[in-house]
Amino acid sequence: MKQRNTWQAPWSYREGWIITGGLAILGIVWQVFLPAFKAELPRWPGNLILGLFFTGIIVSLYWFFPKSSLVKWLSSVPAAVTSASFYCGLAILMGIIPQQQASPSALINLTGLNQLTISWIFALANLYFLSSLGLATLKRLIPFKKKNIGYILNHLGLWLALTTAALGSSDLQRLHMNCYEGQPEWRATNQQGQVVELPIAIELLDFKIEEYAPKLTLIDNQTGKIAVTDIKNPYFSITDTPFQLGDYTIEMELYLPQAGLIGDRFERVNEIGSPPAAKLIVTNTVNQQKSTGWVSSGSFRQQPYAFTLNERHSLVMLPPEAQKYQSDIRIITQEGQQLSTTLEVNKPFKLGGWKLYQLSYDSEKGKWSTLSVIELVRDPWIPAVYLGIFMLLAGSLFLFREGTTKRKKGENHGLD
Amino acid sequence: MAWINFEGYAAVTLLLWLTSGFVLLFGKNKIKSANKLASLLAGAGLACLLLFIILLWSKLERPPMRTLGETRLWYAFLLPLIGLVSFLQWKYRWLLGYSLFMGALFLGINYLHPETYSKSLMPALQSIWFIPHVIVYMFAYALLAASSLVAVKAMYQDYRGKNWQTLPALADNFVYLGFSFLTMGLLFGALWAKEAWGHYWTWDPKETWAFITWAAYLIYIHYRYKHLHKHKQAMGILIISFVLLLVCWFGVNYLPTAQNSVHTYSG
């Protein structure tokens, strides 16, 4: 077979790698010398126009020049492999270099590798990948054949999800709102730290936390670190008593979910900031000595209280972990309409084009927090992204079927 | 409260798998009954491990899928399961043997790194997506590990100058199955992230590495499609892809980017 020269049709891997390298250099140079000209997409309707323009170019290329070497090559496997490798390589950089923060290396800051998703090299990799994927999709989409359904679901689904996710990123709004109990709030902060006034107000009626039972552990008095490190579980929940920890058997005599220190003992109290406390009976299994004492996790109001067993060891109680937290809120619209709902992690609330999320609270105050941070998200492109995602999910079933078919040696797979 | 005796169940499972491995290795004169006995022993080991997982689940009062150790436990169950099913289907003795070995290895790692068996489950994980997301991913990882076993076997056969031309087709089977699960796991994760964190994709380090893994297997599939007879290169891609998968699963925690991850609780 005669040796093919570079750029002589049909193009293959060599050209693919050259194009990848060229785009990478172009992206870096652009980033370094034209930093003011950012790789940012316009907002609605600019992004829609851009998307239609891009789709228009791909479709016209396929329609008018189906036999051109560019179209043939972009829709070929070498282009798919090189563009996916380009994308994958950038993702590896993204997975190693911490993102969205200044890097100690001036070179990384200069080339934008610490903010890859908004860098030119990433934009160009996307463009190359989506052009190749788009043309590969069109090749099997027109003319439509039933046997290509799996292929179309996978390729068109991925193209749709990636393209609309990229275009929609400029319309995505993520706002944080600090809601204090009893105070209607309509100002929120966007990701750039600017205050945004909303056409709705949110009033936090009640913020609630359910907590797991607190855990106990044994610490070394000298170092303050966990003393028993060679066993399975250095933490035991209060509910697991009696249990063995190092050379001690620990039993619980009394548990007070809300307690206050009075003298050298704890009593049940009902005040804000009263932490849990427990009275424990500890038996040293070496010398059979028994002792009784209190532990408390402490809170923003009270100091933690440790049970000093001897000069070496103390028992301490860890602050209880949150099992569930939720905000009862009232939403008031500008027209004066009111509605009440409860926000919880993993249970957002839909309102118009917005989704409301329980984000966080004042973690220092824990269950006595009167602050609830609510996130408001608006992402108008999400139906298109989800259409792509569901097409991919359907497409994955076709791949599954492919995987259960046994091939004979040398037989090409039936993905086509 | 009495904690579940992991060592006991692990010991019984390991013993059964070891015996199964011996039968596979030495029971070659009466191949039919040896195969049957090996399958039975491997299956009994699986049943023992499954029993442990079920008991653990009920004792923890949450799905045992939160920590890396818990995912290793599923892996130690699923990989030999896949080995056994493909053995019953296609009669690859070495594959069952290696998958039992890998399963035993992961049980061994869990023995050396004891679990904390904490009952708490952070609110973000309390979702209907939690179980499907993790199970589907573990299936994908186990299937893709099986494909890597095939690739390593192929490379070894090549090194010894033996014929291995039928192996890449078997690797393909595992990759297609594994990749279909990998896609589902990735997308379930995206759909869940939208409900829990407000956005389906934020390039969190774990997401980034999941994407890298996914892209690597995507490259393998496309390479195989075009170059069905360049077996050596394809097996090379497969091994690199599995290394990337391992970075995604364990390695992420050791990278400088990990501090920003929402997935660090799995460490």
Side-chain angles (χ1 to χ4, degrees):
Chain A
M1 204 169 87
K2 215 179 122 200
Q3 188 78 22
R4 184 181 61 87
N5 292 322
T6 306
W7 304 117
Q8 186 185 332
W11 296 358
S12 186
Y13 288 96
R14 209 182 310 150
E15 288 81 2
W17 296 121
I18 291 171
I19 286 174
T20 300
L23 289 174
I25 292 166
L26 178 66
I28 297 279
V29 168
W30 201 329
Q31 193 77 32
V32 172
F33 292 101
L34 288 167
F37 191 38
K38 288 198 165 72
E40 277 172 345
L41 285 160
R43 287 196 189 167
W44 184 269
N47 49 3
L48 177 72
I49 294 167
L50 192 71
L52 291 175
F53 183 66
F54 176 61
T55 315
I57 288 183
I58 290 182
V59 172
S60 344
L61 271 177
Y62 180 70
W63 202 260
F64 296 111
F65 310 100
K67 298 272 185 274
S68 72
S69 54
L70 180 73
V71 168
K72 270 187 164 171
W73 177 73
L74 271 174
S75 60
S76 73
V77 167
V81 166
T82 51
S83 64
S85 303
F86 189 13
Y87 212 141
C88 188
L90 290 181
I92 290 175
L93 286 179
M94 209 187 297
I96 293 170
I97 302 167
Q99 297 290 298
Q100 316 304 339
Q101 49 181 278
S103 164
S105 152
L107 189 68
I108 287 177
N109 291 329
L110 186 69
T111 48
L113 295 183
N114 58 337
Q115 293 188 39
L116 255 171
T117 53
I118 52 165
S119 70
W120 277 106
I121 189 170
F122 191 73
L124 292 173
N126 256 303
L127 194 67
Y128 178 26
F129 185 72
L130 291 175
S131 308
S132 166
L133 180 60
L135 280 167
T137 307
L138 285 170
K139 204 161 79 170
R140 296 290 180 94
L141 190 64
I142 304 164
F144 180 80
K145 285 192 193 113
K146 216 169 145 191
K147 66 168 187 172
N148 285 338
I149 285 179
Y151 181 100
I152 290 167
L153 284 170
N154 280 317
H155 290 77
L156 187 58
L158 182 62
W159 186 86
L160 193 64
L162 288 178
T163 308
T164 55
L167 291 172
S169 62
S170 53
D171 287 330
L172 172 71
Q173 277 181 278
R174 299 185 77 173
L175 311 174
H176 290 182
M177 188 185 258
N178 289 335
C179 295
Y180 289 92
E181 272 178 23
Q183 296 173 21
E185 183 58 81
W186 61 94
R187 290 155 305 180
T189 316
N190 67 13
Q191 287 187 303
Q192 287 75 43
Q194 297 152 331
V195 174
V196 180
E197 294 202 1
L198 293 169
I200 54 161
I202 298 174
E203 183 184 356
L204 179 63
L205 301 174
D206 192 15
F207 177 72
K208 281 180 270 191
I209 293 192
E210 282 172 31
E211 290 172 329
Y212 286 105
K215 286 175 181 164
L216 302 173
T217 192
L218 193 69
I219 60 161
D220 187 315
N221 292 340
Q222 295 292 316
T223 60
K225 288 185 180 152
I226 291 165
V228 188
T229 49
D230 58 337
I231 62 158
K232 278 181 175 238
N233 185 12
Y235 305 102
F236 279 89
S237 169
I238 279 284
T239 53
D240 294 339
T241 53
F243 55 83
Q244 182 78 29
L245 197 52
D247 293 333
Y248 309 97
T249 307
I250 291 137
E251 293 165 83
M252 188 170 66
E253 191 181 301
L254 185 64
Y255 175 62
L256 304 172
Q258 291 200 53
L261 183 64
I262 298 165
D264 58 355
R265 66 194 163 83
F266 281 82
E267 288 289 339
R268 194 182 302 273
V269 291
N270 197 8
E271 277 171 29
I272 284 174
S274 359
K279 191 178 187 185
L280 305 171
I281 305 166
V282 177
T283 313
N284 188 323
T285 46
V286 180
N287 55 23
Q288 297 304 319
Q289 265 186 348
K290 253 187 194 198
S291 52
T292 308
W294 288 90
V295 285
S296 170
S297 68
S299 70
F300 72 102
R301 278 271 172 87
Q302 284 188 30
Q303 290 289 319
Y305 195 86
F307 178 8
T308 312
L309 299 175
N310 47 45
E311 47 304 347
R312 280 194 61 207
H313 293 138
S314 292
L315 269 174
V316 292
M317 181 186 269
L318 305 167
E321 294 168 84
Q323 180 171 19
K324 185 171 157 181
Y325 49 98
Q326 59 185 54
S327 301
D328 293 338
I329 56 165
R330 179 162 45 216
I331 301 162
I332 307 139
T333 64
Q334 266 179 334
E335 295 81 41
Q337 274 185 322
Q338 292 196 6
L339 60 136
S340 297
T341 184
T342 301
L343 293 184
E344 200 184 315
V345 180
N346 269 311
K347 285 174 191 154
F349 180 72
K350 251 188 173 165
L351 182 74
W354 291 85
K355 249 183 169 182
L356 276 57
Y357 294 83
Q358 172 71 62
L359 190 65
S360 62
Y361 55 94
D362 182 345
S363 55
E364 200 182 316
K365 286 194 176 166
K367 67 175 177 184
W368 301 283
S369 172
T370 52
L371 164 72
S372 176
V373 185
I374 290 170
E375 184 174 28
L376 296 106
V377 181
R378 190 170 172 271
D379 189 2
W381 289 69
I382 211 158
V385 179
Y386 272 27
L387 179 62
I389 287 181
F390 287 116
M391 285 171 78
L392 271 172
L393 280 173
S396 72
L397 298 177
F398 281 83
L399 269 175
F400 185 89
R401 195 185 61 180
E402 198 58 41
T404 51
T405 320
K406 191 174 183 183
R407 267 166 282 279
K408 287 185 197 89
K409 189 187 154 195
E411 184 191 1
N412 209 330
H413 21 113
L415 280 179
D416 40 13
Chain B
M1 176 171 168
W3 284 97
I4 293 181
N5 178 7
F6 169 67
E7 290 89 343
Y9 287 90
V12 174
T13 305
L14 286 176
L15 199 68
L16 287 163
W17 287 353
L18 197 69
T19 324
S20 170
F22 267 106
V23 174
L24 282 173
L25 214 54
F26 300 110
K28 282 185 180 157
N29 11 344
K30 285 189 176 173
I31 217 134
K32 231 174 178 177
S33 49
N35 280 356
K36 212 174 233 174
L37 183 61
S39 316
L40 270 176
L41 287 164
L46 281 170
C48 177
L49 197 53
L50 183 64
L51 181 66
F52 173 73
I53 292 175
I54 291 169
L55 287 173
L56 182 65
W57 194 321
S58 75
K59 287 262 177 173
L60 286 178
E61 296 158 21
R62 64 167 176 84
M65 300 175 183
R66 200 196 72 177
T67 64
L68 276 182
E70 284 161 11
T71 61
R72 278 197 298 263
L73 189 64
W74 284 97
Y75 196 71
F77 173 72
L78 291 173
L79 187 55
L81 179 70
I82 287 161
L84 181 59
V85 170
S86 41
F87 177 63
L88 294 174
Q89 184 82 21
W90 297 317
K91 300 283 174 273
Y92 289 108
R93 297 162 71 92
W94 62 271
L95 188 64
L96 176 60
Y98 286 141
S99 66
L100 289 178
F101 174 75
M102 290 290 287
L105 187 71
F106 274 75
L107 277 185
I109 295 174
N110 268 20
Y111 177 74
L112 295 174
H113 294 274
E115 271 296 328
T116 57
Y117 293 137
S118 166
K119 278 187 183 177
S120 42
L121 192 61
M122 60 186 282
L125 292 185
Q126 296 164 22
S127 160
I128 50 158
W129 289 109
F130 183 35
I131 297 170
H133 174 66
V134 180
I135 285 282
V136 160
Y137 251 116
M138 283 300 108
F139 251 111
Y141 282 7
L143 284 160
L144 295 171
S147 77
S148 308
L149 286 176
V150 176
V152 172
K153 169 95 174 173
M155 293 291 209
Y156 181 63
Q157 296 284 67
D158 180 58
Y159 169 75
R160 286 174 50 194
K162 288 196 172 175
N163 179 29
W164 53 278
Q165 299 303 312
T166 54
L167 289 174
L170 177 65
D172 285 347
N173 277 87
F174 286 126
V175 171
Y176 289 138
L177 284 175
F179 190 75
S180 109
F181 278 108
L182 199 67
T183 308
M184 286 187 234
L186 190 78
L187 299 177
F188 288 174
L191 296 173
W192 180 8
K194 177 70 192 165
E195 292 308 291
W197 285 296
H199 198 43
Y200 50 85
W201 196 268
T202 50
W203 292 105
D204 172 87
K206 194 87 167 185
E207 282 174 4
T208 304
W209 281 96
F211 172 79
I212 293 165
T213 310
W214 188 81
Y217 283 101
L218 192 75
I219 290 169
Y220 171 82
I221 289 175
H222 284 81
Y223 191 83
R224 282 288 288 163
Y225 176 73
K226 179 82 178 178
H227 313 283
L228 197 60
H229 300 290
K230 289 188 180 170
H231 284 165
K232 228 174 168 175
Q233 290 89 330
M235 294 301 104
I237 297 175
L238 204 47
I239 288 170
I240 294 170
S241 303
F242 194 64
V243 172
L244 294 172
L245 183 153
L246 290 177
V247 174
C248 179
W249 190 6
F250 299 111
V252 158
N253 293 340
Y254 305 102
L255 290 173
T257 42
Q259 49 183 336
N260 306 323
S261 175
V262 295
H263 281 89
T264 43
Y265 47 79
S266 55

PDB file of all heavy atoms in Angstrom, chain A residues 11 162 364 380:
ATOM      1  N   TRP A  11      -8.414  11.704   5.627  1.00  0.00           N
ATOM      2  CA  TRP A  11      -7.674  12.044   6.838  1.00  0.00           C
ATOM      3  C   TRP A  11      -7.884  10.986   7.898  1.00  0.00           C
ATOM      4  O   TRP A  11      -8.908  10.330   7.959  1.00  0.00           O
ATOM      5  CB  TRP A  11      -8.143  13.393   7.400  1.00  0.00           C
ATOM      6  CG  TRP A  11      -7.877  14.541   6.482  1.00  0.00           C
ATOM      7  CD1 TRP A  11      -7.246  14.486   5.272  1.00  0.00           C
ATOM      8  CD2 TRP A  11      -8.249  15.894   6.701  1.00  0.00           C
ATOM      9  NE1 TRP A  11      -7.195  15.737   4.715  1.00  0.00           N
ATOM     10  CE2 TRP A  11      -7.809  16.623   5.567  1.00  0.00           C
ATOM     11  CE3 TRP A  11      -8.890  16.570   7.728  1.00  0.00           C
ATOM     12  CZ2 TRP A  11      -8.013  17.995   5.458  1.00  0.00           C
ATOM     13  CZ3 TRP A  11      -9.099  17.929   7.617  1.00  0.00           C
ATOM     14  CH2 TRP A  11      -8.653  18.631   6.493  1.00  0.00           C
ATOM     15  N   LEU A 162     -24.885  17.860  25.887  1.00  0.00           N
ATOM     16  CA  LEU A 162     -23.673  18.679  26.024  1.00  0.00           C
ATOM     17  C   LEU A 162     -23.872  20.072  25.441  1.00  0.00           C
ATOM     18  O   LEU A 162     -23.471  21.070  26.036  1.00  0.00           O
ATOM     19  CB  LEU A 162     -22.485  17.993  25.343  1.00  0.00           C
ATOM     20  CG  LEU A 162     -21.911  16.767  26.032  1.00  0.00           C
ATOM     21  CD1 LEU A 162     -20.763  16.181  25.211  1.00  0.00           C
ATOM     22  CD2 LEU A 162     -21.413  17.109  27.432  1.00  0.00           C
ATOM     23  N   GLU A 364     -22.839  26.427  63.676  1.00  0.00           N
ATOM     24  CA  GLU A 364     -22.345  26.579  65.036  1.00  0.00           C
ATOM     25  C   GLU A 364     -23.509  26.461  66.026  1.00  0.00           C
ATOM     26  O   GLU A 364     -23.370  25.853  67.089  1.00  0.00           O
ATOM     27  CB  GLU A 364     -21.657  27.935  65.182  1.00  0.00           C
ATOM     28  CG  GLU A 364     -20.715  27.995  66.361  1.00  0.00           C
ATOM     29  CD  GLU A 364     -20.080  29.373  66.494  1.00  0.00           C
ATOM     30  OE1 GLU A 364     -19.661  29.928  65.460  1.00  0.00           O
ATOM     31  OE2 GLU A 364     -20.045  29.870  67.615  1.00  0.00           O
ATOM     32  N   PRO A 380     -33.350  27.636  32.718  1.00  0.00           N
ATOM     33  CA  PRO A 380     -34.412  27.457  31.707  1.00  0.00           C
ATOM     34  C   PRO A 380     -34.097  26.410  30.648  1.00  0.00           C
ATOM     35  O   PRO A 380     -35.000  25.939  29.953  1.00  0.00           O
ATOM     36  CB  PRO A 380     -34.557  28.843  31.096  1.00  0.00           C
ATOM     37  CG  PRO A 380     -33.338  29.589  31.475  1.00  0.00           C
ATOM     38  CD  PRO A 380     -32.816  28.995  32.740  1.00  0.00           C
TER      39      PRO A 380
END
